[in-house]
């Protein structure tokens, strides 16, 4: 490969490692500077700081404005890479490969994942879902043995997240007393109503992220009613349906969906018009006091919640 005209971002930034994961799940290293690969990230990635926001304001009669609410916005990342080859054929093959990896998000209408790993071992990587927007069209004077595109990625959520969700599961075990939600897998008492804490006491779930995390729920029968409360924010919801042994209901809180056996729409079984209010609630950053109960439980009953902490920056 010819002399590189741009300093290498990987070497300049220490041991930060970037990876692109295409919509098919294939990983494309972006920080490997070896001649065998043929592309790498250069200095100058932009847009991976704090999440963009929009201030919604109302004018005041005596002058000035007051903030009505603050809305987070999507972000755009600019990711510069260098592509090179020892001859035109090798360069062309490499450019086609990495171009396809990014532009596949357009063909599949599915985002890819940009993952950035920091020094310090496991648990330090964060990722964000992105769609390719522009940057690989080709510049004048390039595209013979090398090119230096700046890839622009559109990130609909705007927040970075952990690479793995946090699982919390509670299952009917036939007599063991409930344990704390500080452990990943929770047992509940053998009774017609199984609760997520000692008696009426709530349990604590830690969201280590910077902002709200939106959990998903997987309920496994038998059960007749499931109720979940987040006492920290004063929100609750309940779902009432005679779920048979082994049958499952999946609840997504953002965007709200409720799917039952056979992937049927089960939204109508949520008590949306309860006078206490109903919300498929999030977990706020920090500790959340949670309480939930399952009616009609028996051997095999399970309630599993997963959430992925989200962050302002990579």
């Amino acid at each position: 490969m010819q002399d590189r005209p741009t300093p290498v971002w990987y070497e300049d930034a220490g041991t930060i490692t970037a990876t692109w994961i295409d919509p098919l799940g294939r990983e494309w290293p972006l920080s490997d500077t070896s001649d065998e690969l043929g592309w790498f990230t250069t200095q100058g990635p932009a847009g991976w700081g704090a999440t963009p926001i929009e201030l919604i304001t109302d004018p005041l009669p005596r002058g000035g404005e007051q903030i009505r609410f603050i809305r987070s916005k999507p972000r755009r990342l600019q990711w510069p890479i260098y592509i090179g080859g020892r001859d035109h054929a090798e360069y062309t093959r490499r450019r086609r490969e990495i171009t396809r990896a990014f532009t596949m998000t357009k063909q599949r209408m599915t985002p890819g994942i940009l993952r950035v790993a920091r020094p310090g071992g496991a648990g330090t990587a964060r990722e964000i879902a992105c769609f390719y927007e522009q940057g690989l069209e080709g510049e004048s004077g390039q595209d013979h043995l090398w090119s230096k595109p700046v890839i622009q990625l559109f990130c609909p959520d705007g927040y970075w997240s952990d690479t793995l969700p946090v699982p919390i599961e509670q299952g009917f075990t036939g007599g063991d007393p409930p344990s704390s939600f500080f452990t990943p897998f929770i047992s509940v008492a053998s009774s017609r109503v199984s609760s997520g804490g000692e008696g009426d006491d709530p349990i604590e779930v830690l969201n280590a992220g910077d902002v709200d995390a939106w959990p998903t729920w997987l309920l496994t029968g038998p059960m007749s009613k499931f109720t979940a409360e987040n006492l920290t924010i004063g929100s609750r919801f309940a779902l009432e349906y005679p779920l048979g042994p082994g049958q499952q209901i999946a609840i997504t809180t953002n965007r709200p969906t409720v799917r039952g056996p056979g992937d049927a729409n089960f939204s109508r079984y949520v008590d949306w018009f309860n006078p206490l209010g109903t919300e498929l609630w999030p977990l706020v950053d920090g500790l959340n006091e949670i309480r939930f109960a399952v009616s009609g439980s028996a051997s095999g009953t399970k309630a599993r919640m997963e959430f992925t902490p989200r962050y302002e920056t990579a």
Side-chain angles (χ1 to χ4, degrees):
M1 186 181 298
Q2 72 170 46
D3 291 340
R4 296 161 182 165
T6 306
V8 180
W9 171 72
Y10 175 88
E11 294 177 351
D12 181 72
T15 56
I16 294 175
T17 303
T19 305
W20 173 253
I21 304 171
D22 70 26
L24 298 181
R26 294 177 299 194
E27 296 190 4
W28 300 81
L30 298 179
S31 299
D32 184 347
T33 61
S34 65
D35 288 344
E36 288 72 24
L37 186 62
W39 60 76
F40 53 84
T41 302
T42 61
Q43 288 182 353
W48 56 338
T51 305
I53 61 171
E54 180 180 6
L55 302 178
I56 309 300
T57 63
D58 294 317
L60 296 173
R62 296 181 178 179
E65 295 183 344
Q66 67 178 7
I67 295 177
R68 183 162 19 123
F69 62 89
I70 302 174
R71 185 175 70 90
S72 63
K73 298 175 62 177
R75 79 164 73 223
R76 282 177 167 85
L77 291 167
Q78 288 76 45
W79 206 265
I81 64 172
Y82 175 90
I83 310 170
R86 286 162 290 198
D87 55 45
H88 182 65
E90 183 177 67
Y91 163 76
T92 300
R93 175 182 59 80
R94 290 171 171 178
R95 180 178 174 85
R96 286 173 176 172
E97 286 179 354
I98 196 64
T99 296
R100 170 64 173 158
F102 281 98
T103 60
M104 191 185 298
T105 62
K106 174 184 67 175
Q107 306 300 330
R108 304 277 175 166
M109 286 295 294
T110 303
I113 300 295
L114 180 65
R115 179 176 297 163
V116 176
R118 303 279 186 177
T124 59
R126 294 180 181 178
E127 62 187 27
I128 191 167
C130 312
F131 287 87
Y132 167 77
E133 191 166 36
Q134 64 182 33
L136 290 166
E137 297 86 356
E139 297 292 335
S140 176
Q142 301 182 19
D143 283 337
H144 179 62
L145 292 179
W146 61 272
S147 58
K148 297 188 295 180
V150 178
I151 301 171
Q152 182 161 294
L153 301 171
F154 177 74
C155 312
D157 183 4
Y159 289 104
W160 295 78
S161 66
D162 279 342
T163 58
L164 294 173
V166 178
I168 296 174
E169 182 171 289
Q170 183 163 338
F172 185 91
T173 58
D176 293 337
S179 60
S180 168
F181 257 67
F182 287 117
T183 56
F185 297 96
I186 312 307
S187 302
V188 299
S190 175
S191 63
R192 289 288 295 169
V193 178
S194 305
S195 21
E198 299 281 358
D200 292 329
D201 294 336
I203 47 81
E204 291 183 330
V205 175
L206 175 64
N207 170 15
D210 299 328
V211 294
D212 290 352
W214 295 90
T216 61
W217 298 84
L218 184 63
L219 311 177
T220 303
M223 68 177 65
S224 57
K225 184 177 181 179
F226 175 75
T227 303
E229 300 175 84
N230 186 331
L231 304 180
T232 300
I233 61 175
S235 294
R236 60 162 302 279
F237 72 88
L239 183 148
E240 190 166 1
Y241 179 82
L243 198 62
Q247 290 186 318
Q248 293 184 323
I249 295 176
I251 302 172
T252 302
T253 54
N254 188 30
R255 304 177 180 175
T257 58
V258 183
R259 313 301 295 186
D263 199 34
N265 186 346
F266 269 38
S267 295
R268 64 186 180 277
Y269 298 114
V270 177
D271 61 342
W272 298 111
F273 302 106
N274 191 296
L276 298 176
T278 296
E279 178 190 13
L280 300 184
W281 40 260
L283 296 165
V284 296
D285 57 298
L287 287 175
N288 292 253
E289 290 193 330
I290 307 299
R291 183 168 58 205
F292 61 87
V294 177
S295 300
S297 61
S299 180
T301 300
K302 293 181 181 178
R304 179 182 178 90
M305 180 180 75
E306 283 190 354
F307 68 94
T308 305
R310 301 157 73 222
Y311 304 91
E312 289 279 1
T313 63

